[in-house]
């Protein structure tokens, strides 16, 4: 059989081409035909049976779903907590004691009043089952009652209960009803006046039925003191408990809570603390939820004179817990905003660096002399959650809303000599806020503000200096002297005397070089000293991998002023790490934004072996061909051993276009290349995170790159790739203040 024959026989091209006699056997034998007829009928029968079963099954499932969830009779209890402001009662101390006659009497009145209010709404009237007063507080001119209400409603009706509650509460707001004129809702039998009612759902985790213990503690914060989770710090907190601390300040004061230490399980589904701007766990007044360990001290303020701290723990894996100082601060102390007329001033969100309180509003009107402009610079910024419209908490500068936790463009220049800045926070989720500084600029040079190229230096007064490397070169080039400010960096205070192709450095030669050590693993990455508290390293060093929590500050130790691995002397400083901030857009595939800052757990005293390196603000130091230094304890050849003595080597900065051609992966404008084309001199494994530095014209060292990646180490026609530090100068400042 030739190939052609077989193709024609076994591979028909189109169904229309087929001869039906080729598809079915000729049925000449009636027995055979009958057998085939029978099997066809059986198939039809089986098909119909299957179809019917499927229909019956789906009907049954639907019925079950309807029965379980939607049938009118099957109801789900929804718990709300809320507050009622009672305007015609004076607060009595006995109201804080749930066993007192006064408490019982007033809570009965509150319950009666709630029932009356609910009964006037058809939805609430239908589903309301129960309410109880939890506690009272002294509102100064009012009494605040905190209560819990329960509604049994079918799932399909739960939203309408929400809506009905909202509408009833809105009809009671003082904006619509004058205070004291609540006659419509009053019954002759009740003698309390409801001025405001506000309720919200409760997080279902707080209603866990498996809890062993639920306890509430009442704390008066007028006398400052401490509170702590049970057993802190000697033993871990108990499993399966819900503990609530009800904190009350004097009227017209805020509650202030400062956590000294907070160490909980990392998973918030297991253990967490929550803080509420209320005495009941109302979701509308949730200030924060925290789990894991806090890397810096946290402090919070209430909007009124109450706050609730809740600790919920799961059955297993318990941790030390927390300790916090409580105190009170007068409401008036948080007066913010005002008119600012000086040429230069700082302003911040209320109580910065504590988290700002909820429900605050501040307006600053900056008004400087005619002919000047205002440059506003945000040094720290964490306001609300990053979103386009900033609907919750925000800072508004001349109508432009800013929110989130890293301001991309943290400097704003006004169009005139006046600028209005507003800060607003809503009733829930507070953040650290902001600290800002404004200065005046001379408006005759506004064009200079935009023309400032990446190769010129922007002075504090907005003027561009086009000289090469004017920063910290020992000559004052800016009229306001800002080019010579903060110039202690980049020098070797005392010079006593791996890198592939490098040589041993002398002691004190690279006083900004840091060895980052993971507990139990030894040296892992390099870093550089930016100040007595901050280090710069690579984001890829602080990513979890192979089950090791490299992203967690408590895993790391920083060794500053070290020369030889394993050898420390009187100049060597060992510090834990309090906080790691990796660039939020770090990409583990492309190595884009491979940069991170680390805050040390305690400041270091700078010494002759521990000194900060300067950071460049412009691209002046990065011109191709510039000689640069690399240093580190990384491998001394590809795949080889780590160096014992700190290595140094000199490389040349390579033009980016040329570098992109050499490298197999993308080299972006936020990266830079350095090396020697003949190969042999390069950074390698273990040098990552360390500095690529150049000397400025004043002899100071500037860190232009962070060791990031490469194709192997020291290969011919390859280069080392570094994170281009000048592109991140603002980000570093925002995160560390350096
Ligand atoms: C590394 O693995 C690494 N040759 C760092 C730098 C270079 C290569 C590898 C550049 O940490």
């Amino acid at each position: 059989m030739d190939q052609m024959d077989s193709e024609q026989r076994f591979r028909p091209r189109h169904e229309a081409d087929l001869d039906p006699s080729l598809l079915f056997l000729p049925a000449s034998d009636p027995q055979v035909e009958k057998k085939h007829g029978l099997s066809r009928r059986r198939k039809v029968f089986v098909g119909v049976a299957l179809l019917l079963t499927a229909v019956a099954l789906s009907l049954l499932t639907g019925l079950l779903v309807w029965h379980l969830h939607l049938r009118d009779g099957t109801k789900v209890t929804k718990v709300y907590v809320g507050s009622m402001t009672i305007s015609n009662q004076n607060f009595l101390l006995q109201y804080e004691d749930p066993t007192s006659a006064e408490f019982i009497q007033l809570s009965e009145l509150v319950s009666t009043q709630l029932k009356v209010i609910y009964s006037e709404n058809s939805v609430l009237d239908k589903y309301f089952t129960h309410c109880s007063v939890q506690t009272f507080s002294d509102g100064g001119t009012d009494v605040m009652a905190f209560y819990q209400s329960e509604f049994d409603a079918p799932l399909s009706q739960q939203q309408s209960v929400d809506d009905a509650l909202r509408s009833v509460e809105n009809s009671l707001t003082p904006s619509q009803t004058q205070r004291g004129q609540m006659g419509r809702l009053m019954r002759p039998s009740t003698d309390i006046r409801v001025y405001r009612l506000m309720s919200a759902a409760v997080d279902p985790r707080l209603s866990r039925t498996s809890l062993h213990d639920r306890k509430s503690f009442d704390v008066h914060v007028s006398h400052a003191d401490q509170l702590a989770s049970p057993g802190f710090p000697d033993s871990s907190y108990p499993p399966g408990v819900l503990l609530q601390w009800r904190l009350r300040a004097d009227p017209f004061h805020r509650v202030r809570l400062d956590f000294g230490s907070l160490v909980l399980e990392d998973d918030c589904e297991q253990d967490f603390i929550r803080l509420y701007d209320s005495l009941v766990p109302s979701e509308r007044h949730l200030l924060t939820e925290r789990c894991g360990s806090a890397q810096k001290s946290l402090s919070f303020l209430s909007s009124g004179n109450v706050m609730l701290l809740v600790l919920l723990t799961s059955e297993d894996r318990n941790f030390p817990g927390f300790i916090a100082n409580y105190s009170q601060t007068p409401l008036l102390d948080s007066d913010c905003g005002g008119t600012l007329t000086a040429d230069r001033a700082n302003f911040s969100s209320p109580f910065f660096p504590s988290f700002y309180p909820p429900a605050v509003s501040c307006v600053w009107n900056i008004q400087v002399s005619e002919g000047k402009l205002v440059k506003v610079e945000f040094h720290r910024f964490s306001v609300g959650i990053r979103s386009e419209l900033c609907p919750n908490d925000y800072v508004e500068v001349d109508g432009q809303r800013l929110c989130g936790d890293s301001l991309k463009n943290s400097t704003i220049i006004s169009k005139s000599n006046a600028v209005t800045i507003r800060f607003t926070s809503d009733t829930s989720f507070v953040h650290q806020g902001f600290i800002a500084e404004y200065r005046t600029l001379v408006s005759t040079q506004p064009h200079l503000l935009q023309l400032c190229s990446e190769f010129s230096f922007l002075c504090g007064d907005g003027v561009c200096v086009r000289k090469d490397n004017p920063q910290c070169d020992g000559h004052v080039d800016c009229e306001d002297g800002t080019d010579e400010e903060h110039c202690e960096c980049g020098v070797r205070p005392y010079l006593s005397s791996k890198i592939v192709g490098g040589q041993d450095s002398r002691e004190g030669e690279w006083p900004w070089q840091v060895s980052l050590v993971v507990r139990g693993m030894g040296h892992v990455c390099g870093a550089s000293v930016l100040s007595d508290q901050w280090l710069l390293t690579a984001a890829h060093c602080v990513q979890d991998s192979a089950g090791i929590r490299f992203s967690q500050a408590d895993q790391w130790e920083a060794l500053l002023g070290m020369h030889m691995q394993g050898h420390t002397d009187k100049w060597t400083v060992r510090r834990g790490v309090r906080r790691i901030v990796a660039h939020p857009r770090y990409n583990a595939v492309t190595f884009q934004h491979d940069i991170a800052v680390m805050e040390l757990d305690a400041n270091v005293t700078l010494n002759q072996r521990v000194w900060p390196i300067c950071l460049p603000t412009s691209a002046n130091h990065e011109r191709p061909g510039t000689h640069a230094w690399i240093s580190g304890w990384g491998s001394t050849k590809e795949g080889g051993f780590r160096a014992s003595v700190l290595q140094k080597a000199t490389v040349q900065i390579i033009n980016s276009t040329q570098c992109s051609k050499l490298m197999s992966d993308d080299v972006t404008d936020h990266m830079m290349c350095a090396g020697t084309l003949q190969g042999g001199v390069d950074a390698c494994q273990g040098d990552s995170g360390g500095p690529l530095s150049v000397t400025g014209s004043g002899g100071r060292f500037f860190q232009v790159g962070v060791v990031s990646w490469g194709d192997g180490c020291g290969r011919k026609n390859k280069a080392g790739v570094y994170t281009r530090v000048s592109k991140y100068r603002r980000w570093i400042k925002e995160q560390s203040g350096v």
Side-chain angles (χ1 to χ4, degrees):
M1 196 198 297
D2 68 20
Q3 212 185 334
M4 192 68 162
D5 258 3
S6 69
E7 278 223 1
Q8 274 170 341
R9 203 170 305 158
F10 297 112
R11 282 188 44 207
R13 278 176 297 275
H14 300 286
E15 253 180 67
D17 295 341
L18 294 178
D19 178 350
S21 64
L22 289 176
L23 281 177
F24 302 103
L25 284 173
S28 52
D29 181 346
Q31 270 306 97
V32 173
E33 193 184 15
K34 192 175 170 198
K35 214 167 140 194
H36 272 270
L38 265 179
S39 92
R40 284 232 300 274
R41 247 175 273 146
R42 193 178 297 139
K43 271 186 194 154
V44 169
F45 176 77
V46 170
V48 169
L50 271 174
L51 194 76
L52 282 175
T53 317
V55 169
L57 264 174
S58 40
L59 266 174
L60 211 69
T61 317
L63 216 68
L64 214 66
V65 169
W66 174 77
H67 177 81
L68 285 177
H69 295 295
L70 306 177
R71 202 166 65 100
D72 249 9
T74 313
K75 293 177 175 167
V76 178
T77 302
K78 188 147 183 195
V79 180
Y80 292 84
V81 287
S83 61
M84 177 191 279
T85 312
I86 305 165
S87 59
N88 62 340
Q89 298 282 321
N90 288 325
F91 188 78
L92 304 175
L93 261 182
Q94 291 89 324
Y95 289 156
E96 286 182 23
D97 172 10
T99 60
S100 71
E102 290 82 355
F103 179 101
I104 294 167
Q105 193 190 7
L106 188 57
S107 42
E108 272 166 12
L109 290 176
V110 169
S111 299
T112 310
Q113 190 59 67
L114 281 172
K115 284 174 202 162
V116 169
I117 293 169
Y118 295 151
S119 70
E120 294 193 349
N121 178 289
S122 59
V123 176
L124 301 181
D125 187 38
K126 193 165 166 195
Y127 299 123
F128 170 74
T129 56
H130 177 72
C131 66
S132 61
V133 171
Q134 312 282 296
T135 192
F136 292 102
S137 80
D138 184 359
T141 52
D142 313 300
V143 174
M144 301 284 293
F146 295 91
Y147 60 88
Q148 176 168 317
S149 296
E150 290 175 25
F151 296 84
D152 277 358
L155 263 188
S156 59
Q157 292 300 306
Q158 302 253 319
Q159 183 60 45
S160 53
V161 175
D162 271 4
D163 296 343
L165 272 174
R166 197 68 67 238
S167 113
V168 163
E169 289 168 9
N170 284 345
S171 72
L172 282 167
T173 54
S175 57
Q176 286 157 41
T177 320
Q178 279 304 303
R179 195 171 180 160
Q181 295 179 352
M182 302 296 294
R184 191 181 69 81
L185 286 163
M186 293 302 112
R187 290 283 186 276
S189 59
T190 62
D191 45 13
I192 56 170
R193 283 202 170 160
V194 179
Y195 162 53
R196 184 188 281 128
L197 204 59
M198 215 186 283
S199 64
V202 177
D203 187 304
R205 289 175 299 175
L206 300 186
S207 317
R208 269 183 203 164
T209 48
S210 56
L211 294 170
H212 304 307
D213 205 4
R214 291 167 188 267
K215 270 202 191 106
S216 295
F217 309 100
D218 287 289
V219 181
H220 278 268
V221 303
S222 44
H223 296 289
D225 206 341
Q226 288 191 324
L227 56 83
S229 52
F232 186 90
D234 305 321
S235 58
S236 52
Y237 45 72
V241 293
L242 173 67
L243 304 178
Q244 307 195 80
W245 287 262
R246 296 196 287 230
L247 309 176
R248 292 178 170 87
D250 291 340
F252 311 112
H253 284 72
R254 296 178 193 275
V255 177
R256 181 183 180 116
L257 193 60
D258 301 284
F259 286 88
S261 172
L262 177 71
V263 186
L264 306 181
E265 185 167 355
D266 277 338
D267 180 0
C268 282
E269 285 308 306
Q270 302 296 325
D271 304 343
F272 58 80
I273 60 155
R274 284 183 146 217
L275 268 189
Y276 296 90
D277 193 40
S278 171
L279 283 185
V280 280
S282 148
E283 286 298 288
R284 267 165 91 179
H285 297 94
L286 175 63
L287 297 180
T288 194
E289 176 179 302
R290 302 261 153 188
C291 54
S293 44
Q295 272 137 36
K296 55 178 185 173
S297 58
L298 295 168
S299 81
F300 297 91
L301 290 120
S302 59
S303 67
N305 67 336
V306 293
M307 190 187 266
L308 178 73
L309 167 63
V310 172
L311 169 68
L312 184 82
T313 70
S314 66
E315 278 304 314
D316 51 13
R317 287 171 47 77
N318 294 320
F319 286 73
F322 62 82
I323 185 158
N325 291 314
Y326 57 76
S327 59
Q328 67 177 26
T329 175
L331 264 182
L332 286 178
D333 275 6
S334 55
D335 260 3
C336 57
T339 302
L340 305 172
T341 52
D343 268 0
R344 190 173 175 169
N346 290 331
F347 58 101
S348 67
S349 49
F351 302 103
F352 187 88
S354 296
F355 282 43
Y356 51 76
V360 290
S361 173
C362 319
V363 181
W364 291 269
N365 286 308
I366 303 175
Q367 179 92 47
V368 297
S369 12
E370 284 284 337
K372 286 184 174 171
L373 302 178
V374 182
K375 179 175 138 189
V376 181
E377 191 174 355
F378 290 96
H379 297 308
R380 294 278 186 100
F381 193 94
S382 174
V383 174
I385 295 163
R386 179 127 126 225
S387 73
E388 203 161 319
L389 297 176
C390 304
N392 307 112
D393 304 350
Y394 56 85
V395 171
E396 198 178 79
V397 184
D398 274 348
Q400 181 194 348
R401 280 192 186 186
L402 311 168
C403 56
D405 57 6
S406 67
L407 254 193
K408 210 170 162 204
N409 199 351
S410 65
T411 300
I412 294 175
I413 295 168
S414 68
K415 294 189 179 65
S416 73
N417 63 331
V419 57
T420 302
I421 295 164
R422 283 171 208 283
F423 167 63
T424 300
S425 67
D426 69 3
T427 59
S428 58
F429 289 106
V430 290
H431 296 83
Q432 198 177 25
F434 67 89
I435 178 150
E437 181 185 19
Y438 81 85
R439 295 166 182 230
T440 50
L441 309 174
V442 184
S443 70
T444 48
Q445 301 157 327
H447 60 286
L448 291 176
L449 303 176
Q450 278 82 45
L451 291 180
C452 245
S453 79
E454 60 172 342
F455 287 107
S456 47
F457 181 83
L458 177 62
C459 304
D461 57 6
V463 176
C464 288
V465 171
R466 291 208 180 78
K467 176 182 165 185
D468 235 15
N469 307 332
Q471 191 189 355
C472 299
D473 66 351
H475 297 274
V476 177
D477 299 291
C478 294
E479 252 181 56
D480 64 358
T482 41
D483 59 315
E484 294 301 316
E485 275 179 8
H486 311 297
C487 290
E488 303 77 31
C489 56
V491 287
R492 299 149 161 181
Y494 176 79
L495 185 57
S496 72
S497 358
K498 186 155 179 173
I499 302 289
V500 173
Q503 49 184 295
D504 287 359
S505 44
R506 286 180 288 161
E507 293 193 5
E509 198 172 359
W510 313 107
W512 34 84
Q513 178 72 49
V514 178
S515 167
L516 289 180
V517 166
V518 167
R519 295 178 204 268
M521 274 183 86
H523 172 92
V524 170
C525 267
S528 54
V529 177
L530 298 186
S531 72
D532 59 357
Q533 207 178 348
W534 288 92
L535 309 181
L536 185 65
T537 188
H540 83 255
C541 291
V542 291
Q543 304 297 313
D544 293 343
S545 84
I548 301 167
R549 292 157 58 236
F550 291 107
S551 65
Q552 302 299 307
D554 61 2
Q555 302 296 303
W556 291 94
E557 230 173 38
L559 285 157
L560 287 69
M562 194 174 67
H563 181 62
M564 193 189 289
Q565 284 288 333
H567 290 256
T568 53
D569 60 20
K570 64 174 179 171
W571 304 115
T572 317
V573 184
R574 186 188 287 269
R575 285 286 182 272
V577 173
R578 176 178 298 158
R579 193 154 61 107
I580 301 174
V581 189
H583 196 283
R585 285 187 290 139
Y586 166 67
N587 184 321
V589 177
T590 61
F591 273 47
Q592 283 240 55
H593 313 297
D594 190 10
I595 194 163
V597 285
M598 273 186 175
E599 187 180 8
L600 300 176
D601 66 355
N603 290 20
V604 295
T605 306
L606 300 178
N607 67 45
Q608 58 193 46
R609 299 270 182 78
V610 179
W611 203 259
I613 190 164
C614 303
L615 292 179
T617 49
S618 66
N620 281 320
H621 297 291
E622 304 159 9
R623 292 181 200 280
T626 305
H627 284 276
W629 290 97
I630 47 178
S631 49
W633 290 273
S635 308
T636 50
K637 66 174 191 200
E638 194 175 322
F641 290 110
R642 302 276 159 88
S644 165
V645 171
L646 179 60
Q647 298 292 295
K648 64 175 178 184
T650 157
V651 285
Q652 253 186 326
I653 293 176
I654 298 171
N655 165 314
S656 290
T657 323
Q658 192 187 359
C659 184
S660 294
K661 287 185 193 140
L662 300 176
M663 304 306 285
S664 51
D665 293 294
D666 257 2
V667 177
T668 68
D669 64 348
H670 280 49
M671 301 172 187
M672 65 193 294
C673 298
T676 55
L677 289 189
Q678 63 275 22
V681 185
D682 199 1
C684 200
Q685 209 175 19
D687 293 320
S688 281
L692 170 76
S693 55
V694 299
T695 40
S697 38
R700 289 174 192 275
F701 280 81
F702 284 80
Q703 180 171 353
V704 291
V706 176
V707 178
S708 179
W709 61 277
D711 287 343
C713 308
R715 295 185 192 174
K716 200 170 168 207
N717 288 327
K718 292 286 176 192
V721 186
Y722 299 79
T723 313
R724 195 182 280 269
V725 172
S726 62
K727 296 280 185 193
Y728 298 93
R729 185 65 193 92
R730 181 170 288 162
W731 181 80
I732 295 168
K733 176 99 181 161
E734 277 167 20
Q735 303 309 318
S736 66
V738 182

